[in-house]
Amino acid sequence: MEKILKFGGTSCGSIASIESVLAIIEANHQVKSSFAVVFSAMSGVTNALLEAGATAASKKTLEPTIIEALEARHFEVIRHFIPVTAQSQVIAQIRTLVNELRDVLKGINLIQEISPKTSDLLVSFGERLSTALITAILKQRGLPVRFLDARDVVKTNQQFGKAEVRFAESNALIQADFNAHANEIALITGFIGSNDAGDTTTLGRGGSDYTASIFGAALDVNEIEIWTDVDGMMTADPRKVAAAFTIPSISYAEAMELTHFGAKVIYPPSLQPAFAKNIPIRVLNTFNQTFEGTVVSKVSSPSPYIITGISSIDELALVNVQGSGMIGVAGVSAKLFTVLAKEKISVVLISQASSEHSICFAIDPQVASKVDKILAKEFAQEIASGDIEGIDIQRDLSVIAVVGEGMRKHTGVSGRLFSVLGKNGINIVATAQGSSELNISVVIEKKDLSKALNVIHETFFFSQIKTLNLYLVGAGLIGKTLLNQLVGQERYLEKYKGLRIQLVGIANSRKQLINPAGISIDQAIELLDSDGESASLADFVEQIKRLNLPNSIFADCTASKEIHQHYLGLFEANVSVVTPNKVANSGPYAQYAALHQTALSKGVKFMYETNVGAGLPVINTLQGLIASGDRFEKIEGILSGTLSFLFNQFVPGKSFAAVLREAKAKGYTEPDPREDLSGMDVARKILILSREIGLKLEFADITIEKIIPSACEAAPTVDAFFEELDKANSYFEAMVNEAYAEKKVLRYIAKLENQKISIGLRAVGADHPFYQMDGADNVIAFTTKRYHDRPLVIKGPGAGAEVTASGVFADIVSIGSYLS
Ligand SMILES: NC(=O)c1ccc[n+]([C@@H]2O[C@H](COP(=O)([O-])OP(=O)(O)OC[C@H]3O[C@@H](n4cnc5c(N)ncnc54)[C@H](O)[C@@H]3O)[C@@H](O)[C@H]2O)c1
Ligand SMILES: N[C@@H](CCO)C(=O)O
Ligand code: NA
């Protein structure tokens, strides 16, 4: 015999799926391979039968509806596949079986009880019906098929519900049976067998796979095909990890591990007879027949990945037994696990630190209270004496298993696993690794499960490409420019940086839109307008936290004075923040410190290079100097692009207000240019620099020399401000003329020296390093211990949409590099 095919419930579940099953069997027949086929019940039938049994046992009279529906379902298949003239014979055959089933239910109803023995007989009708039905159809189509009731050849003990197979006897019967019918295709009822007394028994979980495996082993087939409704075994549960893909080849041991942790495609224990004979199992998709599926065999073929798959148990409780009295005392764990075994409590994972101070193990949360009671009783004495401090149970946990034979040959797998979890703020509650090095398991909080599965999957299967999930708030000048820049760089980032920036949320002050599957960047503004809901920043941030996406970045491209109140919560929720908005860093020092400390402790990034000098590398350079041990003596610079532009462009005879309007049109000013003209923007920048070098200065410590008349400053609106500015033109002309008379130019300079900040307008001559300026240039000079005689000078355009957005972009990319 070449092979055994097995079709599961979904494959036998509907007319369309049976169509596929018939096609697969006919195709096999055409190539004349010798094979046999095992069938499960039509999907849902086993449960329907159990329900009918339970109802019959509990109600006074029989309710025929379930059985009628079941009969109708099988008749429908007959009417579809069998020509009218031949139908009556098959219908009669199925009806005979259903009548037998009705008699069983009558019996149950009569005695108002359903024993395990009767239950097995009852559910056996599912496989007997489906197999009989398909046999009739194929016979009608002219295939040399025969119906084989597995109860005639699979012999078991008396243990109803999960009977043990008597292999010697069964193998002999199977071989004799197949020898006697060499030229026929046997269609076999899965899941069932019989005991010595001839009673029907069932084989437990994965029963039809077991049947296929028993026949395969008895007949020494070359391969067993398990036909199901998915594309084989996948690298992760595709419902949780969209990027999961089919594993082409996997070893028996790996399949066992993955299945233990929830991958439910096959149930390897039921395939044991095949494993023992090294028969490969091919998992195939009835609904995608040409797909290669997964081969499960003794040794998996080499794979490009270090790990083979990831699976999880979503609901778990962790029991921790702890106490100094356990150290060096033999037998505590023996006692512990003996009592658990006695109570039939299954332990998913065990971990004990070598200090022997505590043992922790994971269990199904449904039995947690029971375990609590059992252990309290068992260890009452030790608890009373203080040898054991107590039994602690933690709930709402999940366990993830990373599985693969390849881990044995590679170092650093657990390092990578823990590091990616850490960078995503996922706390590891417990961990265990078997010495087989086939499986590393981590227990985490359930709320982090989806995020953890996805980042682990990404790390081990797509390490070349890391996806950053970007939330952009503020779609004005800078925000829009950033979006444009992102569109142009997508391919470069993937190819050279291994990064994919996925926009998952966007908001302005009117609307907001979130889509974890990604928002098309080049249409983001239109989509925000058409599909966005009305904006609520608090709600937007709440959604970000709830989604808990891996590698999340929040870009604040607003000038809002409130939005920074959300940064702390975002850091705590493990979201990095990137911003050109200076408000957060220039608020009270305590707030500045709290933000930076929280980001650091949560392992997320807070990036704000564009707070000073827009895209010029000011903050980065400063941080580099500090980190390498340099000491700052003085910082001096022109930190306002707007004011730089004004004093570069304004000459007596021109309108000061008109030059400012030009600066605004060029994107240099703050959304409200009064922030620039008042010196406020510069004050924020120099304050931020002072804090970066470690000074605890407050806004009140800054001396700002005003450059605009108070009437301008008091103007209630931006428009009124421009009007006042027009009136004050002669005031500015006088200032400039005075400087010109001395062959000097005006520069608005910020200085930090001796822990003091001063900001003011200076007239500087040609010998001054800040004399030569152009456009919206900024210049900044760092005098430090190392740059003592000649300062380190950074100079260039310090305002404008393109240079600012590119600074924000660079910050996002650097977070990506950190996370990789
Ligand atoms: N222009 C520059 O050269 C430059 C340089 C460095 C830093 N910056 C900073 O960049 C930031 C953005 O400047 P811009 O010129 O793009 O501003 P803008 O006014 O053009 O855009 C701001 C955007 O933020 C949105 N917004 C404002 N408050 C909001 C809130 N509470 N919630 C959601 N959305 C909100 C607005 O709807 C708008 O889409 C400012 O903080 C500015 O200081 C600008
Ligand atoms: N308005 C700011 C933008 C850069 O922070 C300036 O003029 O410098
Ligand atoms: Na900068």
Side-chain angles (χ1 to χ4, degrees), residues 256-276:
M256 289 277 196
E257 292 284 348
L258 281 177
T259 311
H260 176 65
F261 287 96
K264 292 208 172 62
V265 183
I266 51 168
Y267 183 59
S270 68
L271 298 170
Q272 196 55 50
F275 292 170

Side-chain angles (χ1 to χ4, degrees), residues 456-613:
I456 296 171
H457 195 271
E458 187 180 63
T459 299
F460 287 103
F461 292 111
F462 293 102
S463 51
Q464 320 69 322
I465 304 286
K466 166 139 312 221
T467 299
L468 304 179
N469 288 303
L470 177 68
Y471 299 91
L472 173 65
V473 182
L477 185 66
I478 308 296
K480 279 190 188 131
T481 310
L482 175 64
L483 290 173
N484 286 337
Q485 292 182 355
L486 284 169
V487 172
Q489 278 308 95
E490 275 168 351
R491 271 146 62 94
Y492 177 88
L493 287 179
E494 283 210 7
K495 193 158 175 208
Y496 296 104
K497 291 274 166 187
L499 287 181
R500 206 166 75 81
I501 299 177
Q502 171 163 269
L503 183 72
V504 283
I506 180 166
N508 57 23
S509 26
R510 279 160 290 115
K511 290 200 159 180
Q512 66 187 41
L513 178 68
I514 287 195
N515 182 357
I519 299 166
S520 151
I521 295 181
D522 47 2
Q523 287 158 31
I525 301 293
E526 292 77 14
L527 288 169
L528 174 64
D529 221 36
S530 58
D531 301 0
E533 47 184 45
S534 55
S536 149
L537 190 59
D539 169 68
F540 191 78
V541 170
E542 231 7 80
Q543 286 195 58
I544 295 175
K545 292 181 187 167
R546 205 163 342 114
L547 276 172
N548 196 15
L549 294 178
N551 312 321
S552 293
I553 299 176
F554 180 88
D556 167 14
C557 287
T558 74
S560 158
K561 298 200 168 63
E562 282 82 42
I563 193 164
H564 68 85
Q565 290 160 7
H566 295 286
Y567 291 2
L568 203 68
L570 285 164
F571 291 151
E572 271 157 3
N574 219 252
V575 177
S576 293
V577 173
V578 175
T579 187
N581 187 338
K582 300 142 202 145
V583 176
N585 281 324
S586 56
Y589 183 82
Q591 168 191 305
Y592 169 92
L595 283 173
H596 286 254
Q597 261 154 29
T598 309
L600 191 68
S601 72
K602 296 301 286 188
V604 292
K605 289 284 165 188
F606 181 24
M607 305 292 284
Y608 44 86
E609 175 57 81
T610 48
N611 274 190
V612 182

Side-chain angles (χ1 to χ4, degrees), residues 87-230:
Q87 276 175 12
S88 57
Q89 193 198 342
V90 185
I91 287 183
Q93 188 193 343
I94 294 299
R95 183 161 284 150
T96 308
L97 264 173
V98 176
N99 284 339
E100 203 183 308
L101 165 63
R102 286 199 175 94
D103 287 343
V104 174
L105 287 167
K106 260 184 223 151
I108 294 171
N109 187 242
L110 210 59
I111 58 170
Q112 289 284 291
E113 189 196 291
I114 180 163
S115 65
K117 174 171 152 182
T118 315
S119 181
D120 274 6
L121 175 61
L122 183 65
V123 294
S124 76
F125 284 93
E127 275 71 14
R128 288 157 63 194
L129 280 165
S130 63
T131 310
L133 191 61
I134 293 173
T135 309
I137 298 168
L138 284 170
K139 204 172 252 170
Q140 215 283 320
R141 292 191 175 192
L143 263 71
V145 292
R146 68 183 175 105
F147 173 82
L148 172 53
D149 190 328
R151 295 177 299 176
D152 295 339
V153 287
V154 175
K155 289 298 176 186
T156 73
N157 71 358
Q158 307 278 2
Q159 200 186 325
F160 297 104
K162 194 182 183 309
E164 267 171 39
V165 176
R166 301 203 159 119
F167 279 98
E169 194 183 342
S170 304
N171 288 347
L173 284 169
I174 291 169
Q175 283 151 7
D177 182 83
F178 275 73
N179 282 336
H181 303 87
N183 296 319
E184 286 167 312
I185 305 168
L187 306 185
I188 308 163
T189 55
F191 187 49
I192 59 178
S194 66
N195 65 10
D196 284 348
D199 303 320
T200 301
T201 54
T202 60
L203 307 181
R205 187 177 159 193
S208 295
D209 286 0
Y210 198 20
T211 306
S213 182
I214 293 164
F215 278 83
L219 300 168
D220 252 326
V221 297
N222 301 332
E223 186 168 277
I224 296 175
E225 292 179 359
I226 305 282
W227 288 86
T228 171
D229 59 345
V230 291

Side-chain angles (χ1 to χ4, degrees), residues 655-802:
S655 152
F656 193 79
V659 183
L660 180 60
R661 281 203 181 86
E662 203 186 329
K664 188 167 176 10
K666 284 183 180 298
Y668 302 151
T669 70
E670 291 304 293
D672 181 345
R674 288 174 295 180
E675 301 267 318
D676 298 294
L677 273 282
S678 64
M680 191 67 183
D681 179 70
V682 171
R684 287 195 180 112
K685 288 168 178 167
I686 190 80
L687 184 64
I688 292 169
L689 294 181
S690 77
R691 289 172 174 180
E692 290 295 316
I693 64 168
L695 302 178
K696 293 183 182 160
L697 295 180
E698 297 288 355
F699 216 90
D701 300 325
I702 305 175
T703 321
I704 308 178
E705 194 183 301
K706 300 272 189 259
I707 55 162
I708 51 171
S710 36
C712 296
E713 225 179 321
T717 63
V718 175
D719 287 341
F721 169 69
F722 273 102
E723 278 167 31
E724 286 297 333
L725 217 51
D726 266 330
K727 288 182 210 158
N729 216 51
S730 55
Y731 163 83
F732 294 108
E733 282 185 334
M735 278 195 329
V736 173
N737 278 331
E738 198 180 320
Y740 274 21
E742 295 175 40
K743 293 205 165 26
K744 287 183 173 172
V745 291
L746 292 177
R747 298 290 178 246
Y748 195 63
I749 298 175
K751 190 164 84 173
L752 166 64
E753 195 171 18
N754 297 326
Q755 314 204 8
K756 295 237 163 359
I757 294 175
S758 62
I759 300 171
L761 198 62
R762 308 272 173 272
V764 302
D767 58 337
H768 194 280
F770 296 171
Y771 181 84
Q772 209 46 264
M773 299 290 283
D774 218 336
D777 276 0
N778 278 195
V779 61
I780 185 153
F782 293 147
T783 307
T784 69
K785 207 172 77 198
R786 290 177 196 151
Y787 290 94
H788 188 81
D789 299 333
R790 284 163 44 71
L792 185 156
V793 178
I794 301 163
K795 185 176 171 185
E802 289 292 342

